[in-house]
Amino acid sequence: MTKAGSKGGNLRDKLDGNELDLSLSDLNEVPVKELAALPKATVLDLSCNKLTALPSDFCGLTHLVKLDLSKNKLQQLPADFGRLVNLQHLDLLNNRLVTLPVSFAQLKSLKWLDLKDNPLDPVLAKVAGDCLDEKQCKQCASKVLQHMKAVQADQERERQRRLEVEREAEKKREAKQRAKEAQERELRKREKAEEKERRRKEYDALKAAKREQEKKPKKETNQAPKSKSGSRPRKPPPRKHTRSWAVLKLLLLLLLCVAGGLVACRVTELQQQPLCTSVNTIYDNAVRGLRSHNILQWVLQTDSQQ
């Protein structure tokens, strides 16, 4: 790979004022380090070499004002070619360029440009036009800069649009994630509430069962206790027997009342009263009627003896 130093000695020997001519030097690459050491060389001629590409550090030669790269084999320029902000004159005649980097729009000092004999993109070729004289080359520089600024603006808008789309997509992802997290929280909350309700029901069921267990001994206590011999407790008498006892008691009470009245009428001073006279008469008649029975006579005798 041939460099300028091996073809014609030190680059300083080729420096003429502020011009450095490296044309027809059979160069395959640009000696960037050597050129960076010569900031005085603001005019650089690299035409008629075998250059297929420029290294990225070539764009650090910001002191260049005039650059001739014509009649090489350049297929593209570095992406940051726009860093050559002091460049005023650029010759790219007869290369293999199709497009220009977007940073080309930053060459605000560019006043002259030649893009003839390149397989340019049709749109770029139409903008560049011919460069057959000084005026056309100046127009080429102006139009191409405007075109590249428009391309840069379009790309910036597209970049902003993509960023906006990405931001919207990110917002949607975040919203979806938040919704998912909220749903999961709600699900956990519902499951927790269901678990709490289940435990509460179990607690209530256990408490009710405990109350039932406590009621059973009370029922057994209220029942009649069994005898020591193991016999069953007597059942309470039916209600019908209870009513019979009540009637019997009432009859006994009436008999006592009658007997009391009879005794009062026969023994006390009330026997002279009309009512007692009637009672005594009824009693005497009843006694005479019943004397025919032996048993009753025996009872009455016993009673009279007493």
mmCIF file of all heavy atoms in Angstrom, residues 252-288:
data_model
loop_
_atom_site.group_PDB
_atom_site.id
_atom_site.type_symbol
_atom_site.label_atom_id
_atom_site.label_comp_id
_atom_site.label_asym_id
_atom_site.label_seq_id
_atom_site.Cartn_x
_atom_site.Cartn_y
_atom_site.Cartn_z
ATOM 1 N N LEU A 252 -112.984 -33.778 95.982
ATOM 2 C CA LEU A 252 -112.637 -33.918 97.401
ATOM 3 C C LEU A 252 -112.883 -32.617 98.151
ATOM 4 O O LEU A 252 -113.370 -32.610 99.293
ATOM 5 C CB LEU A 252 -111.188 -34.361 97.549
ATOM 6 C CG LEU A 252 -110.873 -35.813 97.112
ATOM 7 C CD1 LEU A 252 -109.379 -36.074 97.173
ATOM 8 C CD2 LEU A 252 -111.635 -36.818 98.027
ATOM 9 N N LEU A 253 -112.545 -31.503 97.509
ATOM 10 C CA LEU A 253 -112.752 -30.209 98.132
ATOM 11 C C LEU A 253 -114.237 -29.954 98.371
ATOM 12 O O LEU A 253 -114.654 -29.454 99.425
ATOM 13 C CB LEU A 253 -112.136 -29.106 97.255
ATOM 14 C CG LEU A 253 -112.265 -27.673 97.786
ATOM 15 C CD1 LEU A 253 -111.550 -27.549 99.154
ATOM 16 C CD2 LEU A 253 -111.674 -26.678 96.791
ATOM 17 N N LEU A 254 -115.057 -30.339 97.382
ATOM 18 C CA LEU A 254 -116.501 -30.171 97.529
ATOM 19 C C LEU A 254 -117.045 -31.030 98.662
ATOM 20 O O LEU A 254 -117.892 -30.600 99.459
ATOM 21 C CB LEU A 254 -117.208 -30.511 96.211
ATOM 22 C CG LEU A 254 -116.976 -29.510 95.056
ATOM 23 C CD1 LEU A 254 -117.609 -30.035 93.758
ATOM 24 C CD2 LEU A 254 -117.559 -28.140 95.409
ATOM 25 N N LEU A 255 -116.524 -32.286 98.724
ATOM 26 C CA LEU A 255 -116.967 -33.185 99.793
ATOM 27 C C LEU A 255 -116.613 -32.631 101.166
ATOM 28 O O LEU A 255 -117.397 -32.711 102.130
ATOM 29 C CB LEU A 255 -116.361 -34.573 99.604
ATOM 30 C CG LEU A 255 -116.937 -35.403 98.436
ATOM 31 C CD1 LEU A 255 -116.149 -36.695 98.255
ATOM 32 C CD2 LEU A 255 -118.419 -35.703 98.668
ATOM 33 N N LEU A 256 -115.379 -32.078 101.221
ATOM 34 C CA LEU A 256 -114.972 -31.480 102.501
ATOM 35 C C LEU A 256 -115.865 -30.327 102.871
ATOM 36 O O LEU A 256 -116.234 -30.134 104.047
ATOM 37 C CB LEU A 256 -113.504 -31.029 102.417
ATOM 38 C CG LEU A 256 -112.452 -32.146 102.397
ATOM 39 C CD1 LEU A 256 -111.067 -31.560 102.163
ATOM 40 C CD2 LEU A 256 -112.488 -32.916 103.728
ATOM 41 N N CYS A 257 -116.211 -29.541 101.867
ATOM 42 C CA CYS A 257 -117.081 -28.401 102.136
ATOM 43 C C CYS A 257 -118.457 -28.883 102.615
ATOM 44 O O CYS A 257 -119.058 -28.341 103.567
ATOM 45 C CB CYS A 257 -117.229 -27.538 100.880
ATOM 46 S SG CYS A 257 -115.694 -26.667 100.434
ATOM 47 N N VAL A 258 -118.958 -29.920 101.936
ATOM 48 C CA VAL A 258 -120.275 -30.467 102.313
ATOM 49 C C VAL A 258 -120.214 -31.045 103.730
ATOM 50 O O VAL A 258 -121.114 -30.835 104.570
ATOM 51 C CB VAL A 258 -120.711 -31.528 101.289
ATOM 52 C CG1 VAL A 258 -121.959 -32.269 101.797
ATOM 53 C CG2 VAL A 258 -120.982 -30.866 99.934
ATOM 54 N N ALA A 259 -119.118 -31.810 103.978
ATOM 55 C CA ALA A 259 -118.971 -32.410 105.308
ATOM 56 C C ALA A 259 -118.870 -31.339 106.380
ATOM 57 O O ALA A 259 -119.467 -31.432 107.464
ATOM 58 C CB ALA A 259 -117.735 -33.297 105.314
ATOM 59 N N GLY A 260 -118.130 -30.311 106.068
ATOM 60 C CA GLY A 260 -117.994 -29.218 107.031
ATOM 61 C C GLY A 260 -119.333 -28.563 107.306
ATOM 62 O O GLY A 260 -119.670 -28.218 108.446
ATOM 63 N N GLY A 261 -120.095 -28.335 106.249
ATOM 64 C CA GLY A 261 -121.408 -27.721 106.427
ATOM 65 C C GLY A 261 -122.347 -28.613 107.236
ATOM 66 O O GLY A 261 -123.130 -28.132 108.067
ATOM 67 N N LEU A 262 -122.260 -29.928 106.941
ATOM 68 C CA LEU A 262 -123.111 -30.880 107.661
ATOM 69 C C LEU A 262 -122.779 -30.892 109.156
ATOM 70 O O LEU A 262 -123.686 -30.886 110.002
ATOM 71 C CB LEU A 262 -122.918 -32.282 107.062
ATOM 72 C CG LEU A 262 -123.799 -33.391 107.663
ATOM 73 C CD1 LEU A 262 -125.297 -33.069 107.476
ATOM 74 C CD2 LEU A 262 -123.474 -34.741 107.012
ATOM 75 N N VAL A 263 -121.488 -30.909 109.465
ATOM 76 C CA VAL A 263 -121.064 -30.891 110.876
ATOM 77 C C VAL A 263 -121.543 -29.614 111.548
ATOM 78 O O VAL A 263 -122.032 -29.632 112.687
ATOM 79 C CB VAL A 263 -119.535 -31.036 110.982
ATOM 80 C CG1 VAL A 263 -119.061 -30.787 112.412
ATOM 81 C CG2 VAL A 263 -119.104 -32.414 110.509
ATOM 82 N N ALA A 264 -121.449 -28.500 110.839
ATOM 83 C CA ALA A 264 -121.876 -27.220 111.421
ATOM 84 C C ALA A 264 -123.367 -27.210 111.706
ATOM 85 O O ALA A 264 -123.830 -26.656 112.708
ATOM 86 C CB ALA A 264 -121.489 -26.082 110.474
ATOM 87 N N CYS A 265 -124.137 -27.848 110.808
ATOM 88 C CA CYS A 265 -125.590 -27.841 110.973
ATOM 89 C C CYS A 265 -126.049 -28.805 112.081
ATOM 90 O O CYS A 265 -127.120 -28.632 112.672
ATOM 91 C CB CYS A 265 -126.262 -28.213 109.647
ATOM 92 S SG CYS A 265 -126.196 -26.888 108.423
ATOM 93 N N ARG A 266 -125.281 -29.815 112.402
ATOM 94 C CA ARG A 266 -125.691 -30.807 113.383
ATOM 95 C C ARG A 266 -125.123 -30.523 114.762
ATOM 96 O O ARG A 266 -125.695 -30.967 115.769
ATOM 97 C CB ARG A 266 -125.249 -32.196 112.921
ATOM 98 C CG ARG A 266 -126.021 -32.643 111.677
ATOM 99 C CD ARG A 266 -125.646 -34.059 111.314
ATOM 100 N NE ARG A 266 -126.162 -34.987 112.318
ATOM 101 C CZ ARG A 266 -127.376 -35.517 112.320
ATOM 102 N NH1 ARG A 266 -128.258 -35.181 111.387
ATOM 103 N NH2 ARG A 266 -127.755 -36.364 113.271
ATOM 104 N N VAL A 267 -124.025 -29.873 114.861
ATOM 105 C CA VAL A 267 -123.358 -29.723 116.155
ATOM 106 C C VAL A 267 -123.534 -28.314 116.689
ATOM 107 O O VAL A 267 -123.759 -28.113 117.888
ATOM 108 C CB VAL A 267 -121.859 -30.088 116.038
ATOM 109 C CG1 VAL A 267 -121.135 -29.839 117.349
ATOM 110 C CG2 VAL A 267 -121.707 -31.538 115.614
ATOM 111 N N THR A 268 -123.435 -27.307 115.837
ATOM 112 C CA THR A 268 -123.437 -25.925 116.309
ATOM 113 C C THR A 268 -124.845 -25.407 116.457
ATOM 114 O O THR A 268 -125.829 -26.114 116.192
ATOM 115 C CB THR A 268 -122.666 -25.035 115.316
ATOM 116 O OG1 THR A 268 -123.370 -25.049 114.077
ATOM 117 C CG2 THR A 268 -121.261 -25.531 115.106
ATOM 118 N N GLU A 269 -124.962 -24.170 116.910
ATOM 119 C CA GLU A 269 -126.242 -23.532 117.122
ATOM 120 C C GLU A 269 -126.969 -23.240 115.823
ATOM 121 O O GLU A 269 -128.125 -22.844 115.821
ATOM 122 C CB GLU A 269 -126.023 -22.212 117.893
ATOM 123 C CG GLU A 269 -125.480 -22.417 119.283
ATOM 124 C CD GLU A 269 -125.237 -21.100 119.989
ATOM 125 O OE1 GLU A 269 -125.392 -20.033 119.321
ATOM 126 O OE2 GLU A 269 -124.892 -21.108 121.185
ATOM 127 N N LEU A 270 -126.282 -23.467 114.681
ATOM 128 C CA LEU A 270 -126.888 -23.186 113.375
ATOM 129 C C LEU A 270 -127.913 -24.231 112.985
ATOM 130 O O LEU A 270 -128.613 -24.070 111.979
ATOM 131 C CB LEU A 270 -125.791 -23.123 112.290
ATOM 132 C CG LEU A 270 -124.790 -21.980 112.418
ATOM 133 C CD1 LEU A 270 -123.717 -22.120 111.342
ATOM 134 C CD2 LEU A 270 -125.506 -20.638 112.300
ATOM 135 N N GLN A 271 -128.063 -25.304 113.819
ATOM 136 C CA GLN A 271 -128.971 -26.383 113.427
ATOM 137 C C GLN A 271 -130.433 -25.935 113.449
ATOM 138 O O GLN A 271 -131.308 -26.579 112.875
ATOM 139 C CB GLN A 271 -128.773 -27.590 114.344
ATOM 140 C CG GLN A 271 -128.998 -27.290 115.829
ATOM 141 C CD GLN A 271 -128.699 -28.507 116.698
ATOM 142 O OE1 GLN A 271 -128.623 -29.624 116.188
ATOM 143 N NE2 GLN A 271 -128.549 -28.284 117.999
ATOM 144 N N GLN A 272 -130.737 -24.797 114.127
ATOM 145 C CA GLN A 272 -132.090 -24.302 114.186
ATOM 146 C C GLN A 272 -132.440 -23.444 112.964
ATOM 147 O O GLN A 272 -133.596 -23.094 112.767
ATOM 148 C CB GLN A 272 -132.251 -23.460 115.469
ATOM 149 C CG GLN A 272 -132.005 -24.236 116.743
ATOM 150 C CD GLN A 272 -132.962 -25.416 116.891
ATOM 151 O OE1 GLN A 272 -134.153 -25.327 116.480
ATOM 152 N NE2 GLN A 272 -132.506 -26.528 117.503
ATOM 153 N N GLN A 273 -131.399 -23.132 112.158
ATOM 154 C CA GLN A 273 -131.639 -22.313 110.989
ATOM 155 C C GLN A 273 -132.366 -23.120 109.927
ATOM 156 O O GLN A 273 -132.231 -24.348 109.868
ATOM 157 C CB GLN A 273 -130.296 -21.798 110.422
ATOM 158 C CG GLN A 273 -129.559 -20.861 111.344
ATOM 159 C CD GLN A 273 -130.315 -19.569 111.567
ATOM 160 O OE1 GLN A 273 -131.010 -19.053 110.668
ATOM 161 N NE2 GLN A 273 -130.233 -19.039 112.804
ATOM 162 N N PRO A 274 -133.189 -22.473 109.072
ATOM 163 C CA PRO A 274 -133.966 -23.195 108.064
ATOM 164 C C PRO A 274 -133.065 -24.026 107.134
ATOM 165 O O PRO A 274 -133.412 -25.144 106.802
ATOM 166 C CB PRO A 274 -134.656 -22.075 107.294
ATOM 167 C CG PRO A 274 -134.755 -20.962 108.263
ATOM 168 C CD PRO A 274 -133.561 -21.018 109.132
ATOM 169 N N LEU A 275 -131.986 -23.442 106.721
ATOM 170 C CA LEU A 275 -131.103 -24.162 105.811
ATOM 171 C C LEU A 275 -130.566 -25.412 106.461
ATOM 172 O O LEU A 275 -130.527 -26.494 105.857
ATOM 173 C CB LEU A 275 -129.953 -23.245 105.355
ATOM 174 C CG LEU A 275 -128.945 -23.891 104.413
ATOM 175 C CD1 LEU A 275 -129.631 -24.340 103.094
ATOM 176 C CD2 LEU A 275 -127.803 -22.899 104.077
ATOM 177 N N CYS A 276 -130.079 -25.263 107.696
ATOM 178 C CA CYS A 276 -129.524 -26.428 108.402
ATOM 179 C C CYS A 276 -130.610 -27.452 108.669
ATOM 180 O O CYS A 276 -130.352 -28.669 108.688
ATOM 181 C CB CYS A 276 -128.892 -25.976 109.714
ATOM 182 S SG CYS A 276 -127.326 -25.108 109.472
ATOM 183 N N THR A 277 -131.854 -27.010 108.951
ATOM 184 C CA THR A 277 -132.954 -27.954 109.157
ATOM 185 C C THR A 277 -133.140 -28.808 107.918
ATOM 186 O O THR A 277 -133.304 -30.038 108.009
ATOM 187 C CB THR A 277 -134.227 -27.194 109.474
ATOM 188 O OG1 THR A 277 -134.029 -26.376 110.631
ATOM 189 C CG2 THR A 277 -135.389 -28.147 109.745
ATOM 190 N N SER A 278 -133.090 -28.166 106.763
ATOM 191 C CA SER A 278 -133.240 -28.919 105.510
ATOM 192 C C SER A 278 -132.078 -29.889 105.337
ATOM 193 O O SER A 278 -132.256 -31.031 104.916
ATOM 194 C CB SER A 278 -133.291 -27.958 104.326
ATOM 195 O OG SER A 278 -134.395 -27.095 104.462
ATOM 196 N N VAL A 279 -130.873 -29.416 105.626
ATOM 197 C CA VAL A 279 -129.690 -30.270 105.460
ATOM 198 C C VAL A 279 -129.779 -31.465 106.395
ATOM 199 O O VAL A 279 -129.490 -32.610 106.020
ATOM 200 C CB VAL A 279 -128.411 -29.454 105.733
ATOM 201 C CG1 VAL A 279 -127.190 -30.377 105.808
ATOM 202 C CG2 VAL A 279 -128.218 -28.407 104.644
ATOM 203 N N ASN A 280 -130.206 -31.237 107.665
ATOM 204 C CA ASN A 280 -130.304 -32.335 108.634
ATOM 205 C C ASN A 280 -131.338 -33.340 108.194
ATOM 206 O O ASN A 280 -131.167 -34.565 108.353
ATOM 207 C CB ASN A 280 -130.621 -31.783 110.014
ATOM 208 C CG ASN A 280 -129.428 -31.003 110.609
ATOM 209 O OD1 ASN A 280 -128.276 -31.324 110.273
ATOM 210 N ND2 ASN A 280 -129.692 -30.042 111.479
ATOM 211 N N THR A 281 -132.442 -32.832 107.639
ATOM 212 C CA THR A 281 -133.501 -33.734 107.179
ATOM 213 C C THR A 281 -132.990 -34.618 106.053
ATOM 214 O O THR A 281 -133.226 -35.828 106.026
ATOM 215 C CB THR A 281 -134.697 -32.912 106.696
ATOM 216 O OG1 THR A 281 -135.167 -32.096 107.766
ATOM 217 C CG2 THR A 281 -135.838 -33.812 106.219
ATOM 218 N N ILE A 282 -132.296 -33.993 105.107
ATOM 219 C CA ILE A 282 -131.736 -34.762 103.970
ATOM 220 C C ILE A 282 -130.743 -35.775 104.475
ATOM 221 O O ILE A 282 -130.725 -36.929 104.041
ATOM 222 C CB ILE A 282 -131.069 -33.816 102.950
ATOM 223 C CG1 ILE A 282 -132.123 -32.927 102.275
ATOM 224 C CG2 ILE A 282 -130.305 -34.575 101.870
ATOM 225 C CD1 ILE A 282 -131.547 -31.808 101.425
ATOM 226 N N TYR A 283 -129.951 -35.391 105.433
ATOM 227 C CA TYR A 283 -128.946 -36.306 105.979
ATOM 228 C C TYR A 283 -129.620 -37.481 106.681
ATOM 229 O O TYR A 283 -129.243 -38.643 106.496
ATOM 230 C CB TYR A 283 -128.027 -35.553 106.941
ATOM 231 C CG TYR A 283 -127.026 -36.446 107.645
ATOM 232 C CD1 TYR A 283 -125.907 -36.947 106.976
ATOM 233 C CD2 TYR A 283 -127.232 -36.818 108.986
ATOM 234 C CE1 TYR A 283 -125.005 -37.776 107.631
ATOM 235 C CE2 TYR A 283 -126.331 -37.645 109.624
ATOM 236 C CZ TYR A 283 -125.202 -38.125 108.941
ATOM 237 O OH TYR A 283 -124.312 -38.952 109.576
ATOM 238 N N ASP A 284 -130.647 -37.211 107.499
ATOM 239 C CA ASP A 284 -131.338 -38.280 108.231
ATOM 240 C C ASP A 284 -131.992 -39.242 107.274
ATOM 241 O O ASP A 284 -131.951 -40.468 107.452
ATOM 242 C CB ASP A 284 -132.384 -37.671 109.183
ATOM 243 C CG ASP A 284 -131.723 -36.893 110.340
ATOM 244 O OD1 ASP A 284 -130.526 -37.185 110.625
ATOM 245 O OD2 ASP A 284 -132.365 -35.988 110.897
ATOM 246 N N ASN A 285 -132.628 -38.714 106.238
ATOM 247 C CA ASN A 285 -133.262 -39.568 105.236
ATOM 248 C C ASN A 285 -132.243 -40.448 104.541
ATOM 249 O O ASN A 285 -132.490 -41.638 104.268
ATOM 250 C CB ASN A 285 -134.026 -38.733 104.224
ATOM 251 C CG ASN A 285 -135.237 -38.032 104.842
ATOM 252 O OD1 ASN A 285 -135.807 -38.533 105.840
ATOM 253 N ND2 ASN A 285 -135.631 -36.904 104.266
ATOM 254 N N ALA A 286 -131.090 -39.841 104.231
ATOM 255 C CA ALA A 286 -130.061 -40.606 103.538
ATOM 256 C C ALA A 286 -129.504 -41.706 104.429
ATOM 257 O O ALA A 286 -129.238 -42.820 103.980
ATOM 258 C CB ALA A 286 -128.939 -39.675 103.089
ATOM 259 N N VAL A 287 -129.368 -41.421 105.716
ATOM 260 C CA VAL A 287 -128.837 -42.426 106.639
ATOM 261 C C VAL A 287 -129.828 -43.559 106.795
ATOM 262 O O VAL A 287 -129.467 -44.740 106.795
ATOM 263 C CB VAL A 287 -128.504 -41.765 107.984
ATOM 264 C CG1 VAL A 287 -128.198 -42.830 109.036
ATOM 265 C CG2 VAL A 287 -127.333 -40.805 107.826
ATOM 266 N N ARG A 288 -131.143 -43.248 106.937
ATOM 267 C CA ARG A 288 -132.155 -44.301 107.079
ATOM 268 C C ARG A 288 -132.239 -45.173 105.848
ATOM 269 O O ARG A 288 -132.438 -46.369 105.917
ATOM 270 C CB ARG A 288 -133.525 -43.652 107.376
ATOM 271 C CG ARG A 288 -133.698 -43.199 108.815
ATOM 272 C CD ARG A 288 -135.150 -42.880 109.076
ATOM 273 N NE ARG A 288 -135.615 -41.758 108.259
ATOM 274 C CZ ARG A 288 -135.570 -40.502 108.619
ATOM 275 N NH1 ARG A 288 -135.033 -40.155 109.777
ATOM 276 N NH2 ARG A 288 -136.047 -39.560 107.831
#
